[in-house]
Amino acid sequence: MGYNYYGYQSPLAEAGNIFAVIVLLSLAGAVLVNFLFLSKKNEGKYEGFVGWLYDVLSFKKLMAEHLLRILCMFFMFLILGFGIAFMFHMNPLVVLLVMVLLIVIVRLGYEFAMLNIIICRNTSEINQKLGEKHTEHTESHKKPGKICPFCKKTLAPTDHFCPYCGHDLE
């Protein structure tokens, strides 16, 4: 199937085969990286770039803030480039107004996204600080509690979530 009268494979069938191979290799790579590199036994084992890569791939270090900033700048430069190109073919005042409006929309979108990131970061810090106070207060009054399997901190016996790293303990 996909071969023509002369025995040659059609370009569409060949592209489909290449696509299938790429999908299978990507799936195999994702599974191998997840189970071999990102396993819990490797946590804290790496330093430098490999440690940073481990943190990024295991979602301990979030990249959304940096990617949003890059996307915002990309769209602003894209708008400026198209605006300058269209300025010679259309009414320059209209093009300038549209450029300013689009840049303001992009910037507002970026700021709203950053507000969500800041709220999440602050909530995480508040939870961590409350967890530290909770642990300080309860450590003198409690029996030895459980230990978080992710960050190895001592927890209260009643904790369902780790107040330090936020992982579910159930």
Side-chain angles (χ1 to χ4, degrees), residues 13-29:
E14 188 175 326
N17 292 340
I18 292 171
F19 179 77
V21 168
I22 290 172
V23 167
L24 288 175
L25 288 174
S26 299
L27 181 62

Side-chain angles (χ1 to χ4, degrees), residues 52-70:
W52 175 85
L53 187 62
Y54 180 89
D55 288 344
V56 167
L57 293 176
S58 62
F59 299 102
K60 290 184 179 184
K61 188 174 293 249
L62 299 179
M63 306 285 295
E65 186 174 342
H66 303 292
L67 291 175
L68 278 173
R69 187 178 309 126
I70 290 169

Side-chain angles (χ1 to χ4, degrees), residues 27-140:
L27 181 62
V31 169
L32 287 174
V33 165
N34 189 50
F35 288 111
L36 298 178
F37 180 64
L38 297 176
S39 68
K40 291 293 178 195
K41 67 179 175 146
N42 291 336
E43 191 169 339
K45 179 179 174 181
Y46 304 111
E47 294 180 8
F49 175 75
V50 178
W52 175 85
L53 187 62
Y54 180 89
D55 288 344
V56 167
L57 293 176
S58 62
F59 299 102
K60 290 184 179 184
K61 188 174 293 249
L62 299 179
M63 306 285 295
E65 186 174 342
H66 303 292
L67 291 175
L68 278 173
R69 187 178 309 126
I70 290 169
L71 278 173
C72 180
M73 290 292 136
F74 169 75
F75 283 118
M76 286 182 174
F77 283 121
L78 195 67
I79 291 166
L80 283 172
F82 277 114
I84 291 169
F86 281 116
M87 209 170 271
F88 298 108
H89 302 288
M90 299 174 73
N91 183 349
L93 185 59
V94 172
V95 172
L96 187 63
L97 288 174
V98 169
M99 280 177 30
V100 169
L101 180 66
L102 288 175
I103 288 175
V104 166
I105 290 171
V106 167
R107 179 61 190 233
L108 287 175
Y110 168 76
E111 289 184 15
F112 281 121
M114 284 304 298
L115 279 175
N116 285 326
I117 290 172
I118 291 168
I119 289 170
C120 289
R121 184 183 308 134
N122 289 346
T123 303
S124 177
E125 289 175 7
I126 290 169
N127 285 340
Q128 186 175 12
K129 288 179 181 177
L130 286 175
E132 288 171 1
K133 286 184 180 180
H134 173 73
T135 304
E136 290 171 5
H137 175 70
T138 58
E139 277 194 10
S140 60

Side-chain angles (χ1 to χ4, degrees), residues 147-163:
I147 294 177
C148 176
F150 302 100
C151 68
K152 310 294 185 226
K153 301 263 183 168
T154 305
L155 309 172
T158 57
D159 285 342
H160 298 291
F161 293 93
C162 178

